[in-house]
């Protein structure tokens, strides 16, 4: 990378993945500027919740990082969806070699709460992503855009396929009767408005890569578990978020939290949903690898699956139950999704780049459970139930009643 | 259709397709309300152009329609992209059985002018469409949404396929080595930011049809030619728009205008682009047919190709030249597209529903040329050249110079 532009702009660098990524990139020699509108903190206030871990203000975070590492990270409070001009000016001034884009509303249940949350998620995510693309095109910057996508764009009806990395080889019958082989963007089947926005992003990327020859990498990430990375551990003011609520909490954090406070582990439906997982430490490593291996100008969007392994939700519940003695409770599933699915995913590119992922069995107790136990007194019990429902005719009362029964069982 | 809800809300009912559709539906017994923010008139003002035909204010249009037909059409000035609440309240009050959605910025060159026009097109079109979907979901209305899409979502690299109606049958290889047949949304390949937004719309529709069981028809329309319909002819105040400028003028109107004012017919590139066409009279008939044949609740999005025929652009130029004696001038192509393509399109559904389309040879002179000649004194010569370019490294000066040379030749 010598002679290469080492300036990185991290959009959404105050969030759960963005913050440890900014620190990781800073620690390995990149010049990092964070742009964030601090919306994740505003949403905490809206929902009346807090990260289980006490997170510092962005100013304190950056001061602490300077103190422990000697490296400076810049910060700009910008809403990239609402303020195109501010984004353009920042890009023009800073001329980053890479933009890492996390600046999207990222919770599926939050995106499904009601019309206001649906429209917010679509407006914020689509406008934000498109503003970045339009600005890179306008400025004709030679800049690599690395975007955090989601495994959820593929959907979970893969009919005995190993999910490829973004593109699917298909055969189709021509007018001449012959079979033609084509590589197409994997047909998307998102399961929530949030996941839908990442499908929309894919089409935006495809267009700007083709028309404007932008260099773009889209990382379809699995469900992230874990909290800390090598950098966030270095000072209490650097600690990362830990979300366990019904909107932003991912499945493992929620199980850990439930186990620690003596709540049964709430499995939605049969727990037969199989999902892909990755540890937050591997997230930041993968992003650095993606950044250091950009596509060439004129290439199609480079799509990588950022995953370590797959697990069935009820197996995860059983694992946490075994480790903690917690009970498992099966409650109504608020999502419209298949009750059971199998899932195989290729992560060939990151494997080839040297990823040796942290696997769930090894680290689950030693980290997630520790964090949950350490900050258990900060837990807001009322925030645990998932209250968003996927369809208008779904009765949220049922979910709440079952949660209550599960809690009292 | 007896006993059926005959109330139709036409979003974008003041525009080139929306206005004659509103009149047609009113004339065949539907109760029609138009919602429009009049943005097409505002954009005229922005670009310093006007419809060649003198169009009346929306109030005059509606008064004239009442006078000649006896039917009343309602009007609400609403920006459906910016004002979700106003849209929701209108839907709640009016409870339409059908919403026909034209309310999108619809010119590819306009969408490519610069970053501001790109972001306007994405914000306006995606938010507008998503607001409609979110409102129908929130209100749980049993309402059929008919949306005007575009042939442009398919792209023009169809590799010897007949373009199917929205869905493509493909074979893919499973982990078991067997071939699995699947019907997928046709992989999109839009050629401009405008076309891109219609590709994004498709994914929005797919999600809301699956998750909320909304009944949705998406009409992938070819390039519209012609101006008047049976209804717009009934009074001078009902006349439809005729756009000939470099942004909003479609190819045939532009050739007609150029021929009438003695300007060479400007063909971009080799003119080897093959496109699908439909007459405005067939547009309004097709929309009525789509409206009367809705998908069932729970069905996938019903996608129909709203096209009559295909033609190569240079053949159209030759036809107009033959009829008028105009010269043909080949100028630089500002778009990033294949120089030559073949195109075959299925319009099986509308054919089966009885469409006997108006074909180009028959009516070209008798209408488009008449309109162009009748209002030639209103032509703004400066507005004819196409000034938007598709890529930052494209030199618009080249296009302008060639236009000037062509004009002086």
């Amino acid at each position: 990378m010598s002679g290469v532009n080492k300036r990185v702009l991290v959009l959404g660098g105050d969030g759960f993945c963005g913050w440890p990524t900014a620190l990781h990139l800073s620690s390995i020699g990149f010049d990092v500027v964070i742009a964030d509108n601090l919306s994740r903190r505003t949403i905490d206030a809206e929902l009346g919740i807090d990260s289980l871990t006490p997170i510092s203000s962005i100013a304190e975070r950056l001061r602490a990082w300077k103190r422990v590492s000697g490296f400076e990270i810049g910060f700009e409070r910008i809403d990239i969806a609402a303020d195109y001009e501010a984004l353009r000016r920042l890009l023009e001034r800073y001329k980053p070699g890479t933009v890492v884009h996390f600046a999207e509303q990222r919770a599926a249940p939050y995106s499904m709460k009601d019309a206001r949350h649906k429209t917010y998620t679509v407006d914020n995510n689509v406008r934000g992503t498109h503003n970045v693309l339009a600005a890179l095109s306008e400025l004709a910057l030679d800049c690599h855009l690395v975007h955090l996508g989601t495994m959820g764009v593929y959907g979970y009806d893969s009919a005995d396929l190993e999910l490829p990395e973004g593109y699917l080889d298909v055969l189709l019958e021509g007018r001449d009767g012959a079979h033609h082989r084509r590589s197409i963007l994997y047909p998307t089947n998102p399961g929530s408005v949030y996941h839908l926005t990442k499908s929309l992003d894919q089409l935006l990327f495809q267009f700007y890569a083709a028309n404007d020859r932008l260099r773009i990498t889209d990382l379809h990430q699995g469900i992230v578990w874990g909290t800390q990375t090598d950098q966030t551990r270095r000072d209490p003011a650097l600690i990362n978020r830990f979300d366990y609520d019904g909107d932003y909490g991912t499945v493992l954090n929620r199980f850990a939290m439930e186990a620690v406070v003596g709540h049964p582990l709430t499995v939605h439906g049969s727990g037969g949903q199989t999902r892909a997982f990755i540890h937050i430490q591997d997230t930041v490593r993968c992003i650095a690898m993606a950044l250091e291996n950009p596509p060439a100008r004129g290439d199609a969007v480079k799509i990588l699956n950022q995953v370590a392994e797959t697990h069935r939700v009820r197996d995860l519940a059983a694992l946490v139950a075994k480790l903690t003695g917690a009970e498992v409770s099966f409650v109504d599933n608020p999502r419209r999704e298949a009750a059971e699915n199998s899932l195989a995913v290729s992560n060939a590119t990151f494997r080839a780049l040297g990823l040796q992922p942290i696997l769930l069995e090894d680290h689950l107790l030693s980290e997630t459970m520790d964090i949950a136990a350490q900050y258990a007194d900060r837990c807001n019990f009322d925030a645990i139930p998932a209250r968003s429902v996927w369809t208008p005719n779904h009765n949220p009362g049922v979910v709440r009643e079952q949660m209550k029964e599960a809690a009292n069982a």
Side-chain angles (χ1 to χ4, degrees), chain A:
Chain A
M1 299 279 289
S2 68
V4 165
N5 178 343
K6 304 278 276 183
R7 290 183 299 280
V8 180
L9 177 61
V10 180
L11 305 173
D14 185 47
F16 171 61
C17 290
W19 172 243
T21 297
L23 296 185
H24 182 73
L25 295 176
S26 175
S27 76
I28 61 174
F30 288 93
D31 290 327
V32 177
V33 166
I34 288 172
D36 200 301
N37 66 348
L38 307 183
S39 63
R40 189 64 195 83
R41 296 172 189 255
T42 323
I43 290 173
D44 271 350
E46 174 202 342
L47 299 176
I49 52 172
D50 256 320
S51 163
L52 187 73
T53 49
I55 57 169
S56 303
S57 72
I58 184 73
E60 284 165 18
R61 284 179 152 187
L62 299 177
R63 275 196 302 272
W65 179 242
K66 175 92 187 286
R67 198 166 59 234
V68 301
S69 74
F71 296 124
E72 203 139 357
I73 292 179
F75 174 71
E76 300 273 344
R77 183 164 183 173
I78 290 179
D79 185 332
I80 65 158
D83 194 346
Y84 175 82
E85 281 308 314
L87 171 65
R88 193 188 57 70
R89 283 194 305 269
L90 174 59
L91 287 168
E92 193 169 27
R93 195 172 71 238
Y94 186 53
K95 293 191 173 47
T98 312
V99 171
V100 187
H101 174 26
F102 298 102
E104 298 184 280
Q105 194 295 102
R106 60 100 171 153
Y110 185 84
S111 78
M112 298 301 288
K113 288 184 107 59
D114 54 28
R116 188 175 73 72
H117 291 85
K118 291 176 188 178
T119 55
Y120 166 73
T121 301
V122 169
D123 295 352
N124 182 71
N125 293 7
V126 175
R127 292 179 80 168
T129 297
H130 183 255
N131 280 349
V132 174
L133 295 165
L136 292 177
S137 162
E138 180 179 0
L139 297 168
L141 285 185
D142 182 24
C143 177
H144 175 208
L145 175 62
V146 177
H147 172 258
L148 203 75
T150 170
M151 285 296 300
V153 301
Y154 297 119
Y156 297 104
D157 62 346
S158 55
D160 209 34
L161 283 177
E162 181 183 65
L163 285 177
E165 298 203 280
Y167 299 95
L168 183 65
D169 276 333
V170 297
L171 292 174
L172 49 88
E173 207 170 323
R175 272 187 288 176
D176 53 4
H179 281 123
H180 301 263
R181 187 170 288 277
R182 288 234 228 151
S183 174
I184 61 170
L185 203 54
Y186 192 93
T188 188
N189 186 22
S192 74
V193 165
Y194 154 70
H195 293 101
L196 173 59
T197 63
K198 300 276 185 173
S199 300
L200 301 177
D201 286 343
Q202 286 204 120
L203 298 190
L204 296 173
F205 296 144
Q206 181 188 37
F207 177 79
Y208 278 87
N211 189 73
D212 298 84
R213 305 180 77 221
L214 296 187
R215 296 185 290 122
I216 303 171
T217 298
D218 200 5
L219 302 171
H220 287 337
Q221 186 171 252
I223 298 171
V224 182
W225 63 282
T227 307
Q228 300 276 53
T229 63
D230 293 344
Q231 288 76 43
T232 64
R233 258 188 219 98
R234 292 178 65 182
D235 189 282
L238 299 175
I239 197 167
N240 199 16
R241 298 186 62 89
F242 181 108
D243 296 306
Y244 61 94
D245 62 284
D247 286 304
Y248 280 86
T250 50
V251 58
L252 266 167
N253 283 11
R254 287 165 52 69
F255 286 164
M257 198 66 246
E258 289 174 327
V260 163
V261 301
H263 190 293
L265 313 181
T266 48
V267 174
H268 292 141
S270 68
Q273 309 94 330
T274 305
R275 293 292 182 269
F277 293 86
I278 186 168
H279 191 278
I280 186 71
Q281 179 68 62
D282 285 330
T283 291
V284 304
R285 284 189 192 126
C286 283
I287 287 165
M289 285 192 259
L291 192 152
E292 286 166 344
N293 293 276
R297 210 168 142 77
D299 283 0
V301 179
K302 187 170 182 175
I303 304 178
L304 308 182
N305 293 334
Q306 191 160 301
V307 302
E309 58 190 324
T310 64
H311 289 283
R312 207 170 279 272
V313 170
R314 65 170 167 258
D315 297 341
L316 294 179
L319 177 64
V320 175
K322 195 183 74 180
L323 294 166
T324 62
E327 282 176 39
V328 177
S329 171
F330 293 87
V331 302
D332 193 20
N333 188 358
R335 304 193 183 206
R336 187 185 277 273
E337 65 185 0
E340 305 267 332
N341 72 285
S342 62
L343 179 64
V345 190
S346 167
N347 60 358
T349 307
F350 279 124
R351 288 279 187 181
L353 291 171
L355 176 68
Q356 293 183 298
I358 297 165
L359 296 181
L360 218 145
E361 289 89 337
D362 314 336
H363 287 67
L364 179 64
L365 248 193
S366 69
E367 210 236 344
T368 306
M369 298 304 300
D370 282 0
I371 295 267
Q374 190 179 346
Y375 297 102
D377 61 321
R378 288 173 50 90
C379 174
N380 173 357
F381 188 84
D382 290 342
I384 296 180
R387 294 205 159 87
S388 292
V389 296
W390 256 238
T391 52
N393 54 344
H394 196 106
N395 181 357
V398 174
V399 181
R400 275 199 290 274
E401 275 313 301
Q402 290 181 328
M403 283 299 303
K404 210 188 293 172
E405 282 166 30
N408 297 334

